[in-house]
Amino acid sequence: MKNRKNIYFIIALVILIAVIVIITIKNNDLKSNNDTSSEAKSIMDVLKEKYPDKEYKKLIGIEFLDENTLFSEYSFINNNSIYIFNPSKLDNNEFEYKKVYDIDKNIKVMNIAPNSGADIKFYDYNDTIYTLHDDNIDNKLSDNYDMYLNANYNLSDYLKWEYSTEFLGKKIDYDFMSNYVYSKDNILYSKNYGNEKYPTLEKVSGNYEGEEVIRIYNERILKTDRAFYEIMSYFDDSLNKRIVTTVRINMLTKYYDEVLTFTYKYVILKDYTLIPINDVMENRVRDYSYDYYLSGFNYMSEVRYEE
């Protein structure tokens, strides 16, 4: 009898364990399905929930753009060709543009620089900065697209310099150059201007470190192999100077594979949807400004808005 009770007890224990295992598996499956459902959301799903009254539209006729397309305020470089475009038309989901120059294939374009009047500047990978110069002496200086349409463009020989020697004061080896920072071996270095002719160069400490630096868009958006960051600055009281650092853009990082490129004002997705940059900036102290100037803050606590 005692043996029979032991057998019943063992059977009951086995059944109880089996029930617990089945319930656990079902709960894990449910959690897994929920996680998958959450991860399956696109950036547009998130934005439509966040901004239900906004309408996001896809641009037409921009299929030639890619992740290497780099924009300035009124111009962009794509596949070694220089274009001008009307940024105000993007507000109406129109992409008005015109090709103005095909760069020689022997010149490998690295990045575009901020516009200087109607002139368009760009860097190559051999430490040279070029100027596509407006030769129209009657062109009126104005902050609108017409100035660029009226330009007579030629690649200038006398406005071509070895960039680092001319503007940084010494020969610098770099992998990627932009207006405020450059990268070498996946480390950013800031160009800090004071009263001297040439800037001081300092390593940028930030949460991008340990990742592969790929590209810098519109002078302020850093792309690595893992994330997107905004390049920012703040004043350090203890050092009595302005410090440049990086802050991860969480929404763009979460939907990393959906992002194509950036204008000063918009994120362009790979399905050609146009998103105002401020719509993806969460908990920011103040709005991202639509220009090429770094955002500057008074304190480090203002910079770390998403960390």
Side-chain angles (χ1 to χ4, degrees), residues 63 71 299:
E63 293 78 10
F71 281 83
Y299 310 102

Side-chain angles (χ1 to χ4, degrees), residues 101-123:
Y101 195 81
D102 286 318
I103 303 168
D104 190 291
K105 292 182 179 179
N106 292 322
I107 300 173
K108 189 179 179 184
V109 177
M110 171 190 289
N111 194 12
I112 193 169
N115 295 131
S116 177
D119 290 353
I120 301 170
K121 298 178 182 293
F122 64 92
Y123 312 87

